[in-house]
Amino acid sequence: MKCFVQGIAVCVLVVVLLFVAVVNWLHTQKSPLPPLVLRFEAKASADSQGMLICDGQSQVSFKIAASETYRPYRVQLPSLQDPISWIRIDPFMVRGTLNLRGIAIEEGEGNVLQKISQDNLDSLNPRAKITIANDEVIISRDSNDDYPVFLLKNIFPIRTATDNFPRIHTGGLMALWAAGFLTLGVLLWRMFLVLWREGRGVQCMFAGLFLLVLGARLLCLQIYGASFHHWDSWSEPWTLYLPFQDGNLSWKALFAPCNEHRIFFTRVLALGVFLVNGQWDNLVLASANGILYSLVAVGLALMLWQASERRYLGAIIILVALVTALPFAWENTVWGNQSQFYFFAGFSLLTIWLLGMHRAFTVQWWFGWTSAVCGLFTVGGGVIAVLAVAGLMLLRMVKEPAMRGRHFLTLILCGCVYGLYHLAKSPLQIVSMKAQTFDQFLASFGKTMSWPFVDSVWLWLVLWAPVVILALRRMRPRQDVLAIEWLLFALGGLCLVNALGVGVYRGRFSGGPASRYMDIASLSVLVNGMAIVLLAEKWESVVPVTRKRAGWMFLGWWGLVIYGILLVTATELTVNAADRVDQQRRARLVMIQFLQHDDVGYLLSKRERELPHPDALSLATWLRCPEIRQMLPSSVREPVAVEPVGPTAFVPNGIHPRCFFEIYEKIWGSFTQYGNGAKGVFQSKPVRSLIYPYLEFQIQGDMDIRDGLTSDGLSLKLQDPFARRFAFAARLSRKVGQWSELVIKSPCASPVIQAADNDPVFW
């Protein structure tokens, strides 16, 4: 039976390696996709140079010759990794007159994909002298101020395919999800078997840890999260969802570089959650991430507990909860696309546990290699767990000479995985964030190692003292090293290599680690805290001090660390996270305004911190795309049109004057010229056919208990116009000046909205 399971483990590793090799290196395109070409006819009063820019990445120049008659021109568009988001055309760089007509985008020779009409031309310079008549564009230029520049609109995506590699379809995606659920099920079953034999108290402690971490993550998400997405994840629909829906998403695209990363597992998770949910909602994806990380936290605690021979459970649970439940790494919690860091943490811990803590050629050892390979496709630094295991093998070769052969084999294979990492390494590097000098590297490295004191460069010399003392003691001759100590040394190596990576690749500004890097950096507290627990048993044999003095030293270390954790958590939440909430509020209002008025100049006039994505032109294209508009979350989607049936006591903008702020949509309210004493009802026409079964209302008003009175005369309900079925809102209780969300499940696809104000005091 053991040989059979071992064979399965070997087969899984071989399948994973073959899958990665075939998709990334062995497959070739059936035939390259035909290039995209901008075709037009032009006549000009003078020779001129023209310019075409795609997505701000590639620039193509073309020449227009002076001519009194129309001449044909063809300009090949650059081939990009992702579908083109925007095209800017600067057609005329000299003074004179230019006439254009017959503008179209072709695929190859003669296959017209998009004809460009006057409605598809958005002038980015309001001073430009442009006349459009009968699909002929006439440009007159007299000075530098009337420089003509066009943005093509409402034609994207021109083509969702970017390569001709084998496509991923629903069956393939289901197979990936099935493999993921099977793997997760095996891990959970293994955890269940370990805990099944234990007492009820042990089971409750692990269950409590899971619920504590998950509850803390969801609470942070509720306070600081938003349903719409942030920055990098705005490209998800363009590069993932729309190509999949069109049948143009290739397997190779799932491994495509995203900056310095190849986030294969993040893309598979995001695509699956989108297909299940039906909306592109950040809160849903981030909630799934919270479940994933809560399982990682429980797995970490279980590893430590098993390595310590089922001792120190209370200390382990407290330490793991301390570094996983507190929301200092809030970026990973509230941004749905940050699952890459959770996959990275999970695969890294599995690699260290299965590969570094089990003998060679065992079942666990083989699965450890699978975890190591999978870790390469999480974040750019996914190889650091392999480096930590390599360091552990070197220590074990010194300490365990009888096992040097097997440890050396593991070390050699670590080198093979590191070579695979270089083959799969993203060619896209953010050079602007790399350390340029040794001082910059040293500052970022020291601040990462000094976590939670991320402003101190040298405090890590004190914070890491416990594990250093433990390592020096255990590496002496005739000293046995316990399994828990080997595990702590490997986790310490993981933190060390992570700090080196942050220092090299994110050290340009000599700053401490960003919030998203703190989930790994915080493991240093866990490692050193457990080292103190182990040292506390035989402290007198370690250093020549009394137990009382040792106790004071322990308390001092713990007091310093707990103060630092609370400080970094408070700083991140009250400064960085709070600032992000303000940016999210501004970004939401900007998106609502653009969706209503479709003015790209409005987006270009906004500062970067007011936009959900820094590239205003790409953002304009995405928000103009009908397919993306349909998948937007309710907080920014175009509101449902609500029109009253006949006369109504509710009036447009019927709200108290002091509450009329940041309002860009039509309001129906009972606060009329009679003030809050107005009474009456509102009934709408049947709303449009709903895609989803819930309606979300933004509610404002004076609907609270006041002077012993209650607002029982206020109500809101949905009615099925063809049946006597109603859906009532819960008790309306809102204070003046606070907009809040109210969700009601509709009784039918086209309900009637009914609101009533029969109260002479409240509105």
Side-chain angles (χ1 to χ4, degrees), residues 80-359:
L80 303 178
Q81 175 185 310
D82 301 325
I84 295 174
S85 293
W86 55 268
I87 298 175
R88 168 183 161 176
I89 304 175
D90 298 21
F92 205 50
M93 297 187 178
V94 298
R95 298 183 182 183
T97 303
L98 173 68
N99 293 39
L100 300 173
R101 72 179 184 186
I103 308 174
I105 293 180
E106 296 180 347
E107 183 182 50
E109 185 71 35
N111 182 20
V112 177
L113 296 181
Q114 294 283 354
K115 289 186 177 180
I116 310 301
S117 66
Q118 62 184 36
D119 297 330
N120 302 130
L121 296 175
D122 198 349
S123 176
L124 297 182
N125 182 7
R127 298 183 180 180
K129 299 176 181 178
I130 302 169
T131 304
I132 301 178
N134 299 324
D135 289 333
E136 184 180 31
V137 181
I138 304 172
I139 301 170
S140 300
R141 187 173 177 201
D142 301 324
S143 65
N144 293 332
D145 292 337
D146 54 12
Y147 181 83
V149 51
F150 294 106
L151 180 72
L152 301 187
K153 67 176 185 178
N154 300 333
I155 63 169
F156 301 99
I158 302 170
R159 183 176 65 189
T160 53
T162 57
D163 59 48
N164 211 359
F165 287 93
R167 304 300 197 220
I168 177 173
H169 299 291
T170 304
L173 183 64
M174 292 301 104
L176 278 178
W177 268 71
F181 276 119
L182 179 62
T183 303
L184 182 60
V186 170
L187 292 173
L188 292 177
W189 179 249
R190 176 62 183 166
M191 295 165 63
F192 173 78
L193 290 179
V194 171
L195 295 175
W196 178 253
R197 306 184 186 96
E198 303 300 326
R200 185 65 58 84
V202 172
Q203 296 171 359
C204 289
M205 291 186 74
F206 279 97
L209 175 63
F210 174 81
L211 295 175
L212 175 64
V213 176
L214 179 59
R217 299 266 155 175
L218 294 180
L219 179 62
C220 179
L221 182 61
Q222 180 184 13
I223 297 173
Y224 298 100
S227 59
F228 57 88
H229 282 255
H230 162 80
W231 282 44
D232 290 348
S233 59
W234 268 91
S235 62
E236 279 179 11
W238 209 247
T239 61
L240 198 61
Y241 307 151
L242 297 187
F244 179 80
Q245 291 174 340
D246 293 344
N248 288 326
L249 180 64
S250 68
W251 285 95
K252 192 175 182 67
L254 291 179
F255 289 89
C258 177
N259 294 330
E260 296 168 310
H261 318 291
R262 292 189 185 271
I263 52 174
F264 170 80
F265 293 97
T266 293
R267 288 182 173 127
V268 172
L269 175 64
L271 183 56
V273 170
F274 167 72
L275 294 177
V276 171
N277 182 45
Q279 293 185 78
W280 183 46
D281 195 319
N282 176 69
L283 294 179
V284 176
L285 184 55
S287 299
N289 295 346
I291 297 174
L292 175 64
Y293 192 67
S294 300
L295 293 174
V296 171
V298 173
L300 173 60
L302 199 57
M303 291 176 194
L304 292 167
W305 188 54
Q306 285 194 289
S308 63
E309 299 177 348
R310 291 172 167 79
R311 302 169 64 195
Y312 319 117
L313 180 58
I316 290 172
I317 294 294
I318 291 173
L319 282 167
V320 172
L322 194 64
V323 300
T324 57
L326 291 176
F328 43 77
W330 61 271
E331 288 178 322
N332 294 340
T333 302
V334 303
W335 297 344
N337 69 325
Q338 293 300 95
S339 62
Q340 53 190 306
F341 283 96
Y342 294 160
F343 281 115
F344 166 56
F347 284 125
S348 295
L349 293 176
L350 283 174
T351 300
I352 289 174
W353 175 248
L354 298 175
L355 197 58
M357 300 300 297
H358 291 84
R359 292 185 298 108

Side-chain angles (χ1 to χ4, degrees), residues 590-632:
V590 167
M591 282 189 286
I592 291 174
Q593 280 282 71
F594 179 79
L595 288 171
Q596 290 182 350
H597 304 294
D598 192 25
D599 182 7
V600 70
Y602 172 75
L603 291 182
L604 292 172
S605 68
K606 295 299 178 182
R607 296 176 298 169
E608 186 177 279
R609 62 176 287 110
E610 296 177 291
L611 298 172
H613 188 274
D615 185 352
L617 296 181
S618 291
L619 180 63
T621 299
W622 297 332
L623 290 177
R624 283 169 168 168
C625 179
E627 292 85 354
I628 292 182
R629 286 195 178 206
Q630 290 180 2
M631 67 178 69
L632 287 175

Side-chain angles (χ1 to χ4, degrees), residues 280-570:
W280 183 46
D281 195 319
N282 176 69
L283 294 179
V284 176
L285 184 55
S287 299
N289 295 346
I291 297 174
L292 175 64
Y293 192 67
S294 300
L295 293 174
V296 171
V298 173
L300 173 60
L302 199 57
M303 291 176 194
L304 292 167
W305 188 54
Q306 285 194 289
S308 63
E309 299 177 348
R310 291 172 167 79
R311 302 169 64 195
Y312 319 117
L313 180 58
I316 290 172
I317 294 294
I318 291 173
L319 282 167
V320 172
L322 194 64
V323 300
T324 57
L326 291 176
F328 43 77
W330 61 271
E331 288 178 322
N332 294 340
T333 302
V334 303
W335 297 344
N337 69 325
Q338 293 300 95
S339 62
Q340 53 190 306
F341 283 96
Y342 294 160
F343 281 115
F344 166 56
F347 284 125
S348 295
L349 293 176
L350 283 174
T351 300
I352 289 174
W353 175 248
L354 298 175
L355 197 58
M357 300 300 297
H358 291 84
R359 292 185 298 108
F361 303 112
T362 60
V363 173
Q364 295 88 341
W365 188 79
W366 287 110
F367 278 117
W369 289 116
T370 305
S371 299
V373 173
C374 291
L376 303 181
F377 302 99
T378 55
V379 296
V383 73
I384 69 173
V386 175
L387 299 179
V389 170
L392 180 65
M393 291 302 104
L394 290 174
L395 288 178
R396 300 194 75 163
M397 288 171 64
V398 173
K399 193 64 180 176
E400 300 171 343
M403 298 289 291
R404 281 180 182 171
R406 293 195 172 187
H407 293 334
F408 183 72
L409 175 62
T410 302
L411 183 63
I412 293 299
L413 292 179
C414 285
C416 294
V417 176
Y418 190 73
L420 180 63
Y421 159 73
H422 276 284
L423 284 176
K425 190 175 182 181
S426 169
L428 306 176
Q429 300 291 316
I430 307 178
V431 179
S432 62
M433 299 184 71
K434 287 186 176 181
Q436 305 297 311
T437 65
F438 180 74
D439 289 341
Q440 291 177 351
F441 159 77
L442 189 61
S444 292
F445 167 78
K447 291 176 180 179
T448 305
M449 287 287 286
S450 297
W451 194 93
F453 297 94
V454 293
D455 293 325
S456 174
V457 177
W458 298 106
L459 194 56
W460 63 275
L461 296 173
V462 175
L463 298 176
W464 281 78
V467 76
V468 171
I469 294 173
L470 180 65
L472 292 176
R473 172 172 173 76
R474 293 308 188 194
M475 295 309 292
R476 292 177 182 176
R478 295 185 298 278
Q479 284 282 335
D480 294 330
V481 182
L482 304 176
I484 180 64
E485 293 167 342
W486 284 128
L487 180 58
L488 292 181
F489 296 157
L491 292 175
L494 183 73
C495 296
L496 175 62
V497 180
N498 177 68
L500 290 171
V502 172
V504 172
Y505 295 102
R506 295 295 184 267
R508 178 65 179 270
F509 305 105
S510 303
S515 171
R516 54 189 173 275
Y517 303 121
M518 291 187 184
D519 279 322
I520 296 298
S522 63
L523 292 179
S524 62
V525 169
L526 174 67
V527 170
N528 286 278
M530 280 303 300
I532 287 180
V533 172
L534 298 176
L535 290 171
E537 292 185 327
K538 298 180 180 180
W539 181 256
E540 293 91 340
S541 63
V542 180
V543 291
V545 296
T546 64
R547 180 169 291 275
K548 183 176 180 180
R549 290 183 180 178
W552 282 110
M553 292 173 65
F554 290 158
L555 287 176
W557 188 92
W558 274 113
L560 180 66
V561 167
I562 291 176
Y563 166 75
I565 293 176
L566 295 178
L567 179 63
V568 73
T569 302

